[in-house]
Amino acid sequence: MKVKELMSKLEFKYSNEKEYLQAVREVLESIEETYNSHPEFEKARIIERIVEPDRVFTFKVPWQDDRGEIHINTGYRVQFNNALGPYKGGLRFHPSVTLSTLKFLGFEQTFKNALTTLPMGGAKGGSDFNPKGKSDAEVMRFCQAFMTELWRYIGPDTDVPAGDIGVGSREIGYLYGWYKKLARENTGVLTGKGINWGGSLIRPEATGFGGVYFVRHMLNKINSDLSGKTVAISGFGNVAWGAALKATELGAKVIAISGPDGYIYDKAGLNEEKLNFMLYLRATCNDVVSPYAEEFPEAVFVKAKKPWELKCDIALPCAIQNELDGQDAKQLIENGVTCIAEISNMGCTPEAVNMFIDNKILYAPGKAVNAGGVSVSGLEMTQNAMKLNWSAEEVDTKLKTIMNNIHEACVKYGNRPDGYTDYVKGANIAGFMKVAQAVLEQGLC
Ligand code: 2IT
């Protein structure tokens, strides 16, 4: 395999799919050497088979708002790869969603799910629907219209969607209710369900908790820990909340969270009351973080800026792809940052990632750091299949073990002779090898 040749073919074919091409390039560059030491992969065209999704569904989603006006959105499901298990991955409802976004996310999901060691393939789906400012009734009508199309492609052993940006417990509820009605079965076909109807304890917290467990391993490896460290977080949704909660519990001081409107600098650090306020902010669905500074006057709201300009020990991007660029990386490095861990998918641009690695700063990519979310989804599937529920402690213990294993796999494949761990290389090779081996062993299908 020659990265240059393969990339130019993909660039020609998918010239407008910027995010997809970015994600593929990153993986190809880190696995090239390992891949080329396996002639059996090349012979079976494994890489060409892995970079293309198995199939993509696109459908029209017509729905009516509370005033009776009609809206048309586009819905997607990208079934990327099922070599390791049923297709698995979230649904994103956000105006920025395009096929490129969902192909990049499905591609990343395939390797992320491989890293979890649970039997899950990779998929992603969603819509350009914007839930911001919509009433519950509008969201319900949209979810029902979306599921009316999606339901025929999914199933508990075929493809199991979950939440992502814009799809939380409310949306999962409406989607699940409608799936059940159409399919006439109660099989846990979505994860992230309510606790009384098949959901798993710890699922809402899992992405953030898992991310912070991963950071703890990164710090331990350089003989450090979280206690007393300052942490800047982007976002204020479910993932940011889980990360802030666990980081605070483990003795770190979370000094920033952010929204599309700007960021909050809270020198005193978040506490229980402020963490709960994050949940309240999210529930209002207005997608702004500024009310935090009205509620807690000691905090400052900085309009239209990102929190990466703050001096902090640890930076945790928890919002959206490419939210931390080269300029931000430069600022963080100048301010003496120790560790950057992506809890969002592909949160850093390639330029930012290269700057961290060149400066030997601890940096780990989303597919390793944020795998806790889909891991607990996998555990939810297990509980549904067994028709019983585990306690929060049981789930949390399993999550900790999984994050530890992912960290070890990254170190195994990413450790350099100078002692620095290249987590990008580590995560990509570890994830890729599992998928590639499975694709090879299952023959041409
Ligand atoms: O990016 C992700 O891993 C998710 N949005 C969670 C996917 C899942 O199936 O729980």
Side-chain angles (χ1 to χ4, degrees):
M1 180 248 301
K2 290 206 173 67
V3 173
K4 233 174 138 184
E5 275 170 28
L6 187 49
M7 279 313 298
S8 41
K9 274 189 203 159
L10 293 174
E11 276 157 6
F12 178 74
K13 208 164 153 188
Y14 304 117
S15 55
N16 58 353
E17 298 184 0
K18 199 172 101 300
E19 294 85 2
Y20 165 67
L21 294 169
Q22 179 186 333
V24 173
R25 178 182 291 281
E26 184 210 275
V27 170
L28 294 191
E29 283 175 352
S30 31
I31 62 155
E32 187 174 20
E33 209 183 312
T34 312
Y35 185 86
N36 287 334
S37 65
H38 287 268
E40 72 280 16
F41 288 168
E42 186 73 345
K43 188 156 177 272
R45 299 262 189 159
I46 296 295
I47 193 65
E48 285 89 342
R49 288 159 62 187
I50 288 180
V51 297
E52 286 280 348
D54 288 351
R55 65 193 68 79
V56 175
F57 300 107
T58 310
F59 44 89
K60 182 176 73 183
V61 189
W63 60 280
Q64 208 164 20
D65 70 21
D66 292 344
R67 294 179 317 245
E69 275 180 43
I70 290 173
H71 301 265
I72 312 292
N73 287 97
T74 308
Y76 305 89
R77 185 69 178 165
V78 180
Q79 294 184 335
F80 220 100
N81 189 294
N82 67 351
L84 298 179
Y87 299 107
K88 180 82 195 90
L91 298 171
R92 178 175 292 191
F93 292 169
H94 193 267
S96 68
V97 163
T98 62
L99 181 56
S100 171
T101 326
L102 299 176
K103 276 176 71 180
F104 118 64
L105 288 164
F107 180 74
E108 292 278 293
Q109 195 82 45
T110 301
F111 304 111
K112 182 197 304 189
N113 293 2
L115 287 170
T116 68
T117 68
L118 302 174
M120 300 183 291
K124 205 82 189 189
S127 174
D128 56 356
F129 171 73
N130 189 358
K132 181 176 159 180
K134 304 285 189 298
S135 71
D136 279 354
E138 288 171 331
V139 169
M140 182 176 79
R141 285 198 291 276
F142 175 81
C143 288
Q144 292 179 343
F146 183 87
M147 188 52 91
T148 299
E149 284 294 323
L150 182 68
W151 80 280
R152 64 189 81 244
Y153 310 125
I154 61 176
D157 294 313
T158 316
D159 182 350
V160 184
D164 192 82
I165 295 171
V167 179
S169 51
R170 174 182 61 167
E171 289 73 18
I172 294 292
Y174 295 148
L175 290 164
Y176 188 71
W178 205 245
Y179 175 86
K180 216 163 42 110
K181 193 168 181 74
L182 295 166
R184 297 187 300 132
E185 57 178 35
N186 217 326
T187 47
V189 71
L190 291 140
T191 58
K193 296 185 289 299
I195 219 65
N196 295 325
W197 40 278
S200 175
L201 288 164
I202 306 288
R203 179 63 190 89
E205 296 90 344
T207 312
F209 277 21
V212 174
Y213 295 151
F214 195 92
V215 168
R216 189 161 59 168
H217 288 300
M218 293 170 83
L219 294 174
N220 286 350
K221 191 168 176 291
I222 59 159
N223 300 318
S224 183
D225 60 29
L226 276 153
S227 104
K229 299 288 186 304
T230 50
V231 182
I233 290 180
S234 63
F236 68 101
N238 190 44
V239 171
W241 164 75
L245 179 62
K246 186 50 77 178
T248 306
E249 207 181 290
L250 296 178
K253 189 152 99 172
V254 177
I255 56 163
I257 55 172
S258 77
D261 51 336
Y263 75 85
I264 295 289
Y265 173 48
D266 191 341
K267 200 172 155 197
L270 267 61
N271 55 23
E272 198 182 334
E273 192 190 354
K274 293 167 177 177
L275 285 159
N276 286 337
F277 190 74
M278 281 175 85
L279 293 178
Y280 163 78
L281 270 183
R282 186 161 55 96
T284 62
C285 273
N286 288 324
D287 213 17
V288 284
V289 77
S290 54
Y292 183 107
E294 289 152 30
E295 184 74 14
F296 305 106
E298 70 272 29
V300 186
F301 172 62
V302 183
K303 200 175 162 185
K305 288 273 175 66
K306 294 189 274 185
W308 316 133
E309 62 183 16
L310 290 173
K311 183 172 167 46
C312 61
D313 299 312
I314 298 166
L316 302 178
C318 289
I320 202 159
Q321 68 270 9
N322 293 327
E323 55 172 311
L324 194 161
D325 63 17
Q327 204 49 41
D328 301 321
K330 186 166 170 271
Q331 183 80 64
L332 282 167
I333 295 169
E334 275 170 16
N335 284 338
V337 72
T338 312
C339 172
I340 302 94
E342 275 179 7
I343 308 191
S344 48
N345 290 306
M346 206 166 77
C348 300
T349 64
E351 194 190 357
V353 173
N354 289 338
M355 284 168 75
F356 294 137
I357 295 177
D358 289 348
N359 284 279
K360 291 198 194 175
I361 288 169
L362 283 183
Y363 162 77
K367 63 170 79 69
V369 181
N370 74 29
V374 74
S375 298
V376 175
S377 276
L379 300 177
E380 182 172 328
M381 288 164 74
T382 311
Q383 293 169 77
N384 292 163
M386 297 193 304
K387 301 196 190 304
L388 51 78
N389 299 314
W390 288 326
S391 68
E393 291 70 31
E394 279 174 287
V395 178
D396 197 30
T397 304
K398 288 182 168 58
L399 173 62
K400 282 187 183 135
T401 307
I402 291 170
M403 296 316 295
N404 180 40
N405 291 344
I406 298 176
H407 184 264
E408 282 190 358
C410 290
V411 172
K412 179 177 166 198
Y413 289 102
N415 238 8
R416 294 197 318 211
D418 64 0
Y420 177 74
T421 303
D422 181 341
Y423 285 91
V424 176
K425 207 168 172 182
N428 284 337
I429 297 178
F432 177 82
M433 287 304 283
K434 273 196 82 171
V435 179
Q437 209 63 48
V439 170
L440 184 71
E441 287 165 12
Q442 291 170 22
L444 194 54
C445 54

